[in-house]
Structure formats: structure tokens, C-alpha cells
Amino acid sequence: MTSDSVNQPQSIPGDVRDREWLRLLIEQVPAVLWTTDADLVITSGAGAGLRGLGLAPNQLNGTRLQDYLGSEDRTFVPLEVHYRALAGESVTVENDWKGNVFEVRVEPLRDAAGAIVGCVGLALDITQRHRSEQSLRAAHAELEIRVAERTAELRTSRAQLQAILDHTPAVVFIKDLAGRYLLVNRRHVELFGVAETEMVGRTDHQIFPPEIADSFIANDALVLRTGEARSFEEIAPHPGGVPHTYVSLKFPFHDADGRPYALCGISTDITDRIRAEEELRRHREEVSVLARRDAMGRMAAELAHELNQPLEAAAGFADGALLRLEGGRPADLETLDKLRIAADQIRFAGGIVRRIRGHIGRRSVQTRPVDFDAIIRDLLSLFARDLRQRGIEVEYDPAESLPPADADPLYVEQVLHNLARNALEAMEETPPEKRRLRIGTRFDNGSVRCVLHDHGPGISSEAAARLFEMYFTTKPHGLGVGLAVSRSLLEAQGGELTFGSGIDGGAAFHFSLPASVAAAG
């Protein structure tokens, strides 16, 4: 038995396995891949991104690109990049298409002699990268079932696989069970500075610093042990010197008997997204500070109200005592002097309280037409990392043609922040598979309405009766001001906040605001 036969799985021939890798990776890539001939007639189409466009693989074969795009204008960006590719350029642009934003890369397609015979394109949906992760998991589960049935149908070579992989902006690699690299794409080579020929057969410890290699190997081992696709946030070196953060989707390849024989990884750089999340987190902290200041303002205002009356009463009694003593005989000058001082001090304290009350004026409501959908999507971006770390799935059901609300956007954001934070904390003890936050909007009777429904333990009827009282809380370390402040902010804008139990458990908070007069008209 040769050393090659020892290192290769015995149940799958090498060429079949190569084709299997090709199909798996083409279907797994969270993008749309296509080729055209020199007349811009589509000759192939693949990639998980096709599903988002309502297309099947190769459905558009034989269709002119101009007909699919609905334009003959050579300056129209999706067409222009293809004409530039036919002229020999490699072009990357961002382009809006059917409500989403895509990063599009088009390059010339050359024959063996180097002549340009068409275009090869890749479009990556950068609107919601997490959707691509979910699509990859679903596609992988589906492909595992179909691998044994359709292996004989695969007709693509490893050279074609490598060409496709080299045009994706993600880092793609395949390792054997011993952690040795079997395949890497061009992006991997560009980022880590190790040529593909040198990479094959080496392990992470031979390429990366020990602590980084250890984390990669631990994540690989978890995927192979569970046999399931998993996503990880991983730190890797970067040519600029500052390490970058990647979301790595790793999944095993199984043979016909269901045994894993290799591991594939697709890693997307999310460093810029994390920086944006940090900015959003700072903004969230500012909103939280506003909430605390508002609560303290209410507390101080109540304190001023409560103290002012007894101080005024004390001043009245002191004045009365002075009148009696001043009219009596004999005059107790020392007592009179002390009472005058007491009255002056009481009036002075009352003046301080009134000044405090006057200075603690909450920020005036500044209403304007507010796009509820935009604020909710910003909120979901703000909480994106918290949601991932807590394993909470979000179901957002926006109403179609929802009119803007007439509201103060900062106060609306504060209310949504308070309710969302409460929902996340309520699901800390919920089993991971049941952690779900549902958000929905609708237009009803002149009002824009929103509901946030968590899957936590719910709220008892006794607690519900006092839920919006200032300083009442069901949390061990809560202050009991968030919901009271939220309700007062909505009422100040002509809205309302109510509570109800969820249909399938948990708590549901409903709030509404008047629709914009301009929109309603």
C-alpha cells in the first residue's frame, strides 16, 4: 500500500471527490456566479445567491444579459462593467438591484490561448451578511442529502473549482482530518502570504502564531466532532499589521457512509462591521444616559414637589409665631431673632427647591415624520452582536406601505431600546432553541403601531398591574424606571404603551404613535 493510498479516503476516488468539492462549494458560496460569451449571452449561473433573486441554477442560460437587465444602455452600470471586462479590465462596483446592494466583480473570461471569450462575474449581497450564513447552512444540509444521489452527475474539474474560488472575496479553504490544507483560494494566498503550492500539506501551526493556530484547530475539532456546520468569530493576521476579525462558516464533508473525511471553511472579513457596531454601541450608551437623566429628572421633580409644600407650611407657621410674639408682652427678643432666622432659612431652602425644579426640565419633544422601519432596522443592527452572542433569532414582520409616524425620533429610539433590552434580558434563562424576538408593525385607525414579543418567562398578573409604576421592577437589580419613562415619552407625543401576554408565552409590549398628518392626508 502506498503512502498516497493511506492518506486518501478509500471509498471515494480522487476525481469524484474533486467534483464533489466543486459542487458543494459552488452551491455554498453566498453569492451569484455567472459567465457570458462575448455577445453577453448568459452561459452559466450558480451560487446560493440565486435563490434570493428567485432563480434556479442555469435558469437564464441562453438569455441576453441586456434582456434580463431590461436595458440596452451601455452606460447602465451592470452592463458597463461587462463591456469593460470584455475590453480586458477587472471591475468591482457596488450596485443596487431589486432592493438590495450587491458587490459585483466582473473579469474577462479567457481561453487557453489567453484570448477574451466572455465574462465571469460574482455578485455578493452585502445588505445582510447574516442571511448568507443561514443560506449556507441550509444549503449544506440539503446538499449532504443529495451528495450520494448526484455525485455521478458532477462534471466539473478541479481547475474550474479553483477559478471560481479565486474570484470570490471570501477566504476559502479545505483541510483533511489531520488539519493539513488540501486547497486554498487566491484570497487566502493574498492575505496570509503563503503560496498555494506551499500551503498544501501544511498545518495551522506551521503558518500562524501559536495562539491563533490553537483557536483555529479547536473550532475545526468541534465541527468534526459534532458533524454540523458552525459559525465562529476568528482573529487572523492581516497585511496591515492589525489583526482582522472574520466570521468563519465551517462544515464537514461526508463520504457515502456518512463519515467526515475533510473540513471546508468560508471566512468573511467583518472587521469594518464590528467597528460600525462599536459606533452604534456608543450611540446606544448615549441613549441609555438620556434615559437615566430623564428618570433622575422625574425623581428630582417629584422630590421638589414633595419638599416644597412642607417648607412653605413651616414658613407659614414661623411667620405666625413671629406675629404672636411681636404683639405680646414682654417681647422675647432672642426668640424673635431665632424665629426670623428660621423663617429666612426655610424660605431660602424653598427657593433652592424651586430653582432645582425649574432647572430640571426634560428635553422638549421635537416631532417630525419618522420612518419606523428605518429606526427598527437600526435597532436590530445596534443589537446584532448581542443577539448573536445570546443566540436569539429575530423575526421582523414590517407592514407594507407603513406611513411615517409624527414623533420625536430620539424618544422613539429610546423606547425601542428600553423594550428590546428588556426582551433580551428576559430570555437569559430560555432554552437556546426557543430564544426568539418577534417585532411587527402595522397601520391602524390613524396610528402607527409596533409590537415586541419575547419568549421569556412572561410576567405575572400581580406584576403586570404595577408594571408602569415608577420604581417598580421585577429584576433583582433593576431601578424600575425604564417602562415608566418609556410610557411617559410616548404619551408626551400623543402615543401609548401597553402590555399583554404573548400567544405562545413570554411578554408582548405594544406601543403606538399618531401617523404623520402629511402621510395620512
Side-chain angles (χ1 to χ4, degrees):
M1 181 179 293
T2 66
S3 59
D4 287 342
S5 64
V6 172
N7 293 329
Q8 297 290 344
Q10 298 301 306
S11 58
I12 296 181
D15 59 339
V16 174
R17 186 174 63 252
D18 287 346
R19 293 196 299 272
E20 179 184 355
W21 289 344
L22 170 65
R23 185 171 70 84
L24 282 169
L25 286 168
I26 288 176
E27 294 291 340
Q28 290 282 0
V29 170
V32 177
L33 304 161
W34 69 94
T35 57
T36 73
D37 62 16
D39 296 321
L40 295 187
V41 174
I42 298 172
T43 56
S44 69
L50 285 171
R51 289 192 293 275
L53 299 175
L55 298 173
N58 299 317
Q59 179 179 337
L60 296 178
N61 286 10
T63 303
R64 294 175 68 245
L65 189 61
Q66 294 92 328
D67 294 337
Y68 173 66
L69 296 175
S71 175
E72 297 285 343
D73 184 0
R74 294 172 67 100
T75 64
F76 181 44
V77 173
L79 281 177
E80 179 192 9
V81 295
H82 286 79
Y83 284 115
R84 290 170 63 184
L86 289 175
E89 291 187 56
S90 296
V91 188
T92 301
V93 296
E94 287 189 7
N95 188 62
D96 292 342
W97 183 250
K98 294 189 176 181
N100 288 342
V101 180
F102 291 85
E103 182 180 89
V104 180
R105 182 176 180 84
V106 182
E107 297 198 6
L109 182 64
R110 301 177 187 272
D111 61 17
I116 297 175
V117 295
C119 301
V120 57
L122 180 144
L124 181 65
D125 188 342
I126 59 175
T127 306
Q128 297 184 22
R129 293 182 183 267
H130 68 278
R131 287 185 178 176
S132 63
E133 295 178 16
Q134 294 172 349
S135 297
L136 284 169
R137 293 192 186 96
H140 174 64
E142 180 180 325
L143 285 169
E144 276 195 327
I145 298 173
R146 297 168 55 192
V147 164
E149 302 172 351
R150 300 194 60 184
T151 299
E153 300 173 14
L154 298 174
R155 295 293 183 267
T156 312
S157 69
R158 175 164 180 158
Q160 291 172 311
L161 164 65
Q162 192 71 49
I164 292 173
L165 295 181
D166 285 345
H167 287 86
T168 179
V171 173
V172 182
F173 55 87
I174 297 175
K175 303 177 187 177
D176 65 16
L177 297 183
R180 294 185 293 260
Y181 283 90
L182 302 175
L183 178 148
V184 295
N185 71 338
R186 183 187 301 166
R187 186 60 177 158
H188 194 290
V189 173
E190 292 171 350
L191 286 176
F192 305 126
V194 181
E196 181 189 1
T197 54
E198 298 177 9
M199 197 77 180
V200 173
R202 300 175 71 178
T203 65
D204 288 319
H205 275 126
Q206 295 172 302
I207 300 164
F208 301 108
E211 64 278 5
I212 291 178
D214 288 343
S215 68
F216 291 169
I217 292 170
N219 292 340
D220 294 350
L222 179 59
V223 171
L224 292 172
R225 185 169 64 251
T226 61
E228 299 175 351
R230 289 178 178 261
S231 290
F232 306 93
E233 283 194 11
E234 298 182 322
I235 306 298
H238 194 266
V242 178
H244 276 212
T245 303
Y246 293 79
V247 167
S248 295
L249 176 66
K250 297 184 175 182
F251 51 91
F253 287 152
H254 294 92
D255 60 22
D257 297 323
R259 294 184 299 243
Y261 63 85
L263 176 138
C264 177
I266 301 174
S267 301
T268 303
D269 192 336
I270 61 168
T271 305
D272 290 340
R273 189 176 77 190
I274 288 178
R275 289 171 182 160
E277 287 176 354
E278 290 299 329
E279 290 296 326
L280 289 171
R281 186 172 290 106
R282 281 193 287 271
H283 178 65
R284 179 174 65 186
E285 291 173 355
E286 291 173 1
V287 171
S288 179
V289 168
L290 176 63
R292 290 196 295 271
R293 286 177 178 172
D294 187 89
M296 293 305 297
R298 291 172 59 88
M299 293 171 63
E302 291 179 10
L303 178 64
H305 175 74
E306 295 298 327
L307 289 179
N308 193 57
Q309 288 184 343
L311 285 174
E312 289 291 342
F317 281 120
D319 285 340
L322 282 172
L323 289 173
R324 289 189 178 187
L325 289 173
E326 287 173 347
R329 294 191 304 270
D332 187 339
L333 296 179
E334 182 179 356
T335 300
L336 289 174
D337 192 44
K338 289 181 179 180
L339 284 173
R340 287 192 186 95
I341 293 172
D344 290 341
Q345 290 298 315
I346 290 172
R347 289 192 185 92
F348 179 70
I352 292 175
V353 169
R354 284 189 294 274
R355 286 196 297 276
I356 291 174
R357 192 173 185 178
H359 285 307
I360 303 174
R362 285 188 293 164
R363 173 180 175 274
S364 60
V365 177
Q366 301 170 13
T367 60
R368 60 180 176 83
V370 173
D371 184 348
F372 249 48
D373 182 66
I375 289 184
I376 292 173
R377 292 189 187 280
D378 287 345
L379 177 82
L380 294 177
S381 296
L382 184 69
F383 280 88
R385 196 161 193 185
D386 278 354
L387 291 167
R388 287 198 308 272
Q389 291 174 344
R390 295 171 184 262
I392 296 175
E393 179 184 349
V394 176
E395 294 181 3
Y396 178 36
D397 183 21
E400 293 185 6
S401 303
L402 186 71
D406 191 16
D408 186 316
L410 184 59
Y411 283 168
V412 173
E413 184 176 352
Q414 181 179 335
V415 170
L416 279 167
H417 176 274
N418 287 344
L419 296 179
R421 173 56 58 192
N422 287 347
L424 266 62
E425 293 175 353
M427 290 186 280
E428 287 182 349
E429 302 299 325
T430 301
E433 67 276 6
K434 295 183 179 180
R435 293 178 185 174
R436 186 177 298 106
L437 173 61
R438 295 175 178 169
I439 303 176
T441 57
R442 63 187 175 92
F443 176 67
D444 180 39
N445 197 26
S447 295
V448 177
R449 301 183 182 275
C450 179
V451 59
L452 284 84
H453 176 199
D454 65 56
H455 280 246
I459 297 174
S460 67
S461 57
E462 294 81 4
R466 302 184 57 196
L467 204 54
F468 297 103
E469 291 182 14
M470 181 65 77
Y471 317 127
F472 174 77
T473 180
T474 60
K475 302 176 184 177
H477 305 290
L479 296 177
V481 298
L483 289 176
V485 168
S486 296
R487 172 177 269 187
S488 68
L489 291 178
L490 290 171
E491 290 176 346
Q493 302 171 81
E496 62 177 1
L497 174 62
T498 59
F499 161 78
S501 297
I503 297 176
D504 50 355
F509 285 88
H510 305 258
F511 73 90
S512 64
L513 286 164
S516 173
V517 174

